[in-house]
Amino acid sequence: IDKDVEIGKLFGEAANYARDLQNEPPNLANPKYIAQKAKELASKNGLEIFMIKGEELKQKKLNALYWVGKGSTNPPYYVALLYKGNKNSKEVDLAIVGKGITFDSGGLSLKPSEYMEDMKFDKSGACVVLGIMNGVSKLRLTKNVLGVLALAENLPSGSAYKPGDIIRAYNNKTIEVLNTDAEGRVALADALAYSEEKFKPKLMIDFATLTGACVVALGDIAAGIMSEDKELCTKLIEAGERANEKIWELPSWEEYHEKVKSQVADVKNIGEKGMAGAIAGYSFLRTFVNKARWAHIDIAGVAAYEKPKFGLSVGGSGFGVRLILEYLTSS
């Protein structure tokens, strides 16, 4: 059993790496700090790294990510890490994309203070991606895996993006901003579209603390998964059962997608008020995925715990790291 014990240890260490990053305070862990951690991880594990920041995002037409972070003095970043476990192939087998809002005040659609104190955990998706890339490197998997971080700080200021703004994303689709607190999906729009076009992955999975609606639906027990690829969805759910990171499928029917259509742009960044908010997030994001097989996982309820749970202490859970490492090692 020595090999299985060693693999389990690597799973745990990779998850703990993500948890430590999640727990870092927002005055320290800004977009630049997380990008630097990605750079250190790449150097230590022999990963290729691609980085775009600040005004350069705008020049490369990643306008959605750029505008989400424009209200802060800390510039936004797009970061991609590439692990090449199969050097005989140029294909990327899997891209993991993480929402990395290092602090989410809600922007000009300001959150109440009681909902703001834990918003350092809005970077959890990006931290999970780094944990996965750490684990993939040490497991020496024979697959090519891409980890993508969409990093920004969502703050109100004179330069912040505003309700009513219309933003043209990387894939040329336009976004009507109705609520600046639905910023994660706007940042992910560019991360998904740019990563798919540049790296052409066979599969894409994103992790995001995207919606309070998912917390209402599933609480702190399970994450929500949405995908039109039922085979991928089933395999991820099964991997989650084995890793004790439960995910539950929410519907992805066409009728829901109608609710994010805009009268003045291609899509609006919120659905109908009080209705199926978690699915509205998915319906929005699918606008920015072209042909890749893709699943969206909303970890808003399970990214961090207020009480010890499942053998984990209070704080970041690293949810998603063991799930994906289990999926990769068993498929």
Side-chain angles (χ1 to χ4, degrees):
I1 65 170
D2 287 353
K3 183 179 178 182
D4 290 335
V5 171
E6 184 61 26
I7 289 172
K9 181 184 175 186
L10 290 175
F11 275 36
E13 288 173 348
N16 284 344
Y17 176 86
R19 292 169 66 204
D20 285 342
L21 284 177
Q22 285 180 270
N23 291 332
E24 294 280 23
N27 61 320
L28 174 66
N30 58 32
K32 182 179 179 180
Y33 177 91
I34 301 297
Q36 182 61 35
K37 288 293 181 183
K39 194 173 180 180
E40 291 170 10
L41 184 67
S43 177
K44 186 176 180 181
N45 292 293
L47 308 176
E48 294 180 34
I49 186 165
F50 309 85
M51 197 176 294
I52 309 169
K53 73 168 187 176
E55 291 290 328
E56 191 183 352
L57 288 165
K58 191 176 180 182
Q59 292 165 15
K60 291 187 177 294
K61 300 182 180 179
L62 280 81
N63 293 304
L65 177 56
Y66 170 79
W67 278 100
V68 167
K70 197 170 179 295
S72 172
T73 55
N74 296 308
Y77 281 72
Y78 169 93
V79 180
L81 299 169
L82 180 61
Y83 166 82
K84 299 196 79 174
N86 182 3
K87 298 189 185 300
N88 295 322
S89 173
K90 293 183 178 180
E91 287 189 313
V92 173
D93 297 292
L94 174 64
I96 312 290
V97 182
K99 172 187 171 184
I101 304 300
T102 58
F103 185 76
D104 181 18
S105 70
L108 291 176
S109 303
L110 197 67
K111 294 178 184 288
S113 58
E114 64 186 291
Y115 293 110
M116 215 187 290
E117 59 191 26
D118 291 327
M119 282 300 108
K120 68 179 183 181
F121 292 118
D122 216 22
K123 64 181 182 292
S124 294
C127 297
V128 164
V129 169
L130 289 179
I132 291 166
M133 297 307 293
N134 192 8
V136 164
S137 304
K138 291 177 180 175
L139 287 163
R140 301 184 187 278
L141 297 181
T142 56
K143 295 179 173 71
N144 295 334
V145 182
L146 183 75
V148 176
L149 318 178
L151 300 169
E153 197 172 46
N154 187 24
L155 295 179
S157 75
S159 61
Y161 81 137
K162 306 170 290 299
D165 282 354
I166 295 177
I167 300 169
R168 188 173 297 278
Y170 179 77
N171 70 344
N172 217 32
K173 298 288 186 179
T174 51
I175 301 166
E176 180 187 12
V177 177
L178 293 179
N179 188 323
T180 64
D181 195 22
E183 84 298 326
R185 67 199 68 181
V186 179
L188 283 172
D190 274 348
L192 288 167
Y194 183 79
S195 301
E196 183 181 11
E197 183 179 286
K198 182 173 178 62
F199 297 99
K200 298 176 174 56
K202 295 179 185 176
L203 296 177
M204 289 202 301
I205 301 168
D206 77 80
F207 284 93
T209 48
L210 206 72
T211 66
C214 198
V215 186
V216 173
L218 299 174
D220 60 358
I221 305 299
I225 184 169
M226 286 144 274
S227 178
E228 285 158 43
D229 189 321
K230 298 309 171 188
E231 181 186 356
L232 175 60
C233 203
T234 298
K235 286 185 176 180
L236 287 169
I237 290 170
E238 290 172 350
E241 290 287 342
R242 294 193 298 272
N244 196 32
E245 292 192 331
K246 294 180 174 64
I247 50 179
W248 188 261
E249 186 179 7
L250 297 173
S252 55
W253 301 323
E254 187 66 35
E255 293 92 331
Y256 286 113
H257 308 330
E258 295 293 320
K259 297 181 184 298
V260 297
K261 288 184 177 178
S262 167
Q263 293 184 340
V264 294
D266 289 305
V267 284
K268 53 188 179 180
N269 76 329
I270 55 173
E272 294 183 13
K273 290 182 180 178
M275 295 175 62
I279 302 170
Y282 166 78
S283 295
F284 175 91
L285 289 173
R286 70 187 289 277
T287 309
F288 304 93
V289 177
N290 187 15
K291 294 180 179 179
R293 298 175 63 197
W294 164 65
H296 162 62
I297 301 179
D298 191 331
I299 58 171
V302 294
Y305 299 127
E306 295 181 357
K307 298 177 182 178
K309 190 187 292 287
F310 308 130
L312 298 173
S313 58
V314 171
S317 69
F319 188 104
V321 176
R322 288 176 295 146
L323 162 67
I324 295 300
L325 294 181
E326 173 62 29
Y327 170 76
L328 284 170
T329 52
S330 62
S331 61

